[in-house]
Amino acid sequence: MVELETRELVYFIAVADELHFGRAAARLSIAQPALSKAIRRIETRLGVPLFIRSSRHVELTPAGEALREHGRHALNAVSAAVRNARRAGDPQAHLRLVIKPGGDAGLLSGILAEYAHQPDARRVDILFSGPADRADILRDGRADVGLLYAPFDDLDGLAHETLLVEDRVVVVPCGHRLAGRASVRMSDLEGETLPRWKGIPGGDGSGPEVADVTQMLQMITVGRMVGVLPRSLVEPVPAGLVRVPVTDAPPSRLVLAWNEQDRRPLVASFVAAALRPRRHATRSDHDEPDAPPGPDGERLAPADERAAEASASS
């Protein structure tokens, strides 16, 4: 069995991220010749080249791509294990929740109130993060639970439960050509400038880079771009802007997520509290009338209502 030390994976990931031995060595605070030797030892031990090197260029081989993907998860798992072990030994440890500013769809205060009634409730520390790293913060143990948006956030390695499903809207300035429309389709946005999200490669955006929704809304206000967002992120609609439903955009799901390997009662208690008041409804401008209450007084989504009727008639 080929074994790599954690330190060696750290070295490899640094070079894989930077694609430059000099920058990676500076990032690691080690000498470049020592880093080059370490990478060659890893390649010798694995029996495959990880990088294609030239005097001016470094790129990953397919083996390197695979090791970068799985190696990063391995390092996150080690970090999470260490943090969770330390926290498990601390009976006064706080629970840490990561969220992007304004990214709770108005649900967080209710979730915290529900959790506060748990007999084992701890203090909840809220960590604010940008769009690119909330999932990594959960995977490596810097936070215990988080509110993420699917399908935009990477949920690989995370357990999750859906709290809210909502439609997506395009946000435009008041004078925009689409501002008076009752709804649009994605094809109506062809030719529009969409944002590039900081730290998130790929995507359809060709416009200025933004780090959060606040920055994006400011850029929309001055006419530099338009943006497609989950509806709750623009409630209420800022002055000078209009939101228009995008009928064929996939819906957005607000999910409560946590590391799938995390079995601590600290996390399980919070998840149970967060799911207790959950309603299986979709927010849109075309919401159906409220479903009738279920047997316990909680309102049911249409599918749950049908199930309850079937049960009552059987």
Side-chain angles (χ1 to χ4, degrees), residues 32-33 46 71 82 141 148 155 163 251 258 290 294 299 306 310 314:
Q32 181 175 336
L46 295 180
V82 171
L148 278 62
L155 300 178
L163 300 179
W258 62 98
D290 284 341
R299 291 195 175 275
R306 290 192 294 270
S314 60

Side-chain angles (χ1 to χ4, degrees), residues 101 107 127 132 187 192 217 222:
L107 301 182
L127 313 177
S187 59
E192 296 288 346
L217 294 178
V222 299

